[in-house]
Amino acid sequence: MERGLYLACVIHFKKFYDLSFKEQAKRYELQMIDIHILLFLKNNPSLNTARDIVACRGLSKSNVSNALEKLRRRGLMRLEEDSENRRIQRIFLMPEGEAMALSLRETQTGCFERMLEGFSREERDEMDRSFRRIEANVTAALREL
């Protein structure tokens, strides 16, 4: 596959993914960063700090901090001091935030299903193996920088 095709695939999927949440963003009065955070917390319950969100999602620290405060004020999540390290705030979804995240996850699942439409189980398994190798190569390259 040519390099331009890789980039086009990533760009087009991101556009498709973001547009897929348009109606829910309007209905729930959420920005895309809010959606990313709610989904991250729902999909990764053990990664529940602002630092985890920043590190894993590649979002800016200030944007995450502002979005978390907005979501907290809306009652969608709560912050709780870590029992072992008082400097760490753990983030937990409240019932309304949990319900929103479940609804958002349905849309997210639909996006991935649409992206992989027409691929056999074997083709999906081969893609998984290929992406694992790509991830290992990129991680190794980052360590060398």
Side-chain angles (χ1 to χ4, degrees):
M1 186 186 316
E2 66 179 81
R3 285 177 285 183
L5 189 52
Y6 290 128
L7 185 57
C9 183
V10 170
I11 291 168
H12 289 144
F13 179 75
K14 182 180 178 346
K15 184 175 184 177
F16 164 68
Y17 184 84
D18 289 354
L19 287 172
S20 295
F21 291 99
K22 190 176 178 180
E23 286 181 30
Q24 287 172 307
K26 186 176 180 179
R27 179 177 352 128
Y28 296 134
E29 298 177 359
L30 297 171
Q31 300 297 314
M32 206 53 217
I33 190 165
D34 305 327
I35 291 170
H36 290 309
I37 290 171
L38 289 168
L39 283 168
F40 181 84
L41 293 169
K42 182 64 184 164
N43 293 333
N44 306 282
S46 65
L47 300 174
N48 61 355
T49 67
R51 181 179 292 175
D52 293 331
I53 297 167
V54 168
C56 296
R57 293 289 293 133
L59 303 168
S60 82
K61 191 174 181 179
S62 62
N63 287 344
V64 168
S65 179
N66 291 335
L68 286 171
E69 179 57 24
K70 182 179 80 171
L71 294 168
R72 188 195 62 75
R73 280 194 318 266
R74 286 185 60 185
L76 301 177
M77 63 182 52
R78 66 181 166 79
L79 301 175
E80 188 176 297
E81 192 176 275
D82 185 86
S83 60
E84 296 177 17
N85 185 342
R86 296 176 51 163
R87 294 178 295 172
I88 296 174
Q89 295 282 311
R90 300 280 171 197
I91 308 162
F92 299 96
L93 293 173
M94 297 297 286
E96 186 179 355
E98 182 80 27
M100 278 185 195
L102 281 172
S103 174
L104 293 167
R105 189 158 65 178
E106 288 178 20
T107 299
Q108 183 183 52
T109 299
C111 287
F112 292 122
E113 287 174 359
R114 180 68 172 106
M115 178 179 67
L116 297 173
E117 192 174 283
F119 285 89
S120 68
R121 176 78 276 164
E122 294 79 22
E123 289 170 318
R124 289 178 186 210
D125 290 344
E126 181 59 35
M127 273 191 284
D128 285 347
R129 286 189 293 276
S130 296
F131 278 112
R132 287 182 205 288
R133 289 175 55 197
I134 291 168
E135 174 60 19
N137 290 343
V138 171
T139 300
L142 284 170
R143 281 194 300 263
E144 295 167 8
L145 294 178

